[in-house]
Amino acid sequence: MYRKIITILLSSFLLLWFLDEVRSFTSNPETLDDILLNVFKKFTYITDKEQYGEDRKISFAKQVKEGKSFKGDCDDFAYTIRDLLIEKGYKAITVLVRTPPVSNSILHMVVKVDDKYMIDNRHPFVRTWKQGVTGSQYHVLSVKEIIEELHKK
């Protein structure tokens, strides 16, 4: 009797898991790696100072969807890929980090995807959030630190 109940429950669980996997595949047919590779193919790094003479924040998602290339810095890359991912049904947010002292402790922007992955224009592949933060020795800025940075400018 218990064996039948356990078998039915397990079968139901497996069916629900399978349906969830099918739904996520059909709603996100492009993988994170596909989207990242597509954006990397179109991206050329250039500082805002070199390109515009001042700091600017721009998303080039429209140009990427049209198959065009774009030039920008880390935040332009982050805004662009964030917008493309959101459009594909992913949960994506930009996150401000500080690089380690060996990289001059500069501000840098990355994208956190589905609360578990990192996309970073400094790395040509998707990493888990933990791998990205620890592997790159990034310090994720708190709201207080972001406000302090804004007051410096």
Side-chain angles (χ1 to χ4, degrees), residues 59-129:
S59 172
F60 293 94
K62 182 179 179 203
Q63 289 89 324
V64 171
K65 287 189 289 187
E66 294 171 351
K68 297 177 183 172
S69 296
F70 71 101
K71 293 179 181 180
D73 60 7
C74 63
D75 52 78
D76 301 327
F77 181 91
Y79 293 136
T80 300
I81 203 156
R82 176 206 60 195
D83 292 350
L84 292 167
L85 289 169
I86 289 170
E87 192 174 285
K88 296 287 184 183
Y90 290 94
K91 177 184 171 196
I93 59 169
T94 55
V95 178
L96 201 55
V97 298
R98 184 170 299 286
T99 64
V102 72
S103 296
N104 298 323
S105 298
I106 61 171
L107 294 178
H108 181 57
M109 188 173 285
V110 297
V111 178
K112 188 172 189 178
V113 184
D114 292 339
D115 292 323
K116 57 184 165 184
Y117 300 109
M118 177 185 284
I119 293 184
D120 181 352
N121 72 298
R122 293 176 169 211
H123 295 275
F125 50 90
V126 177
R127 299 180 289 172
T128 66
W129 182 254

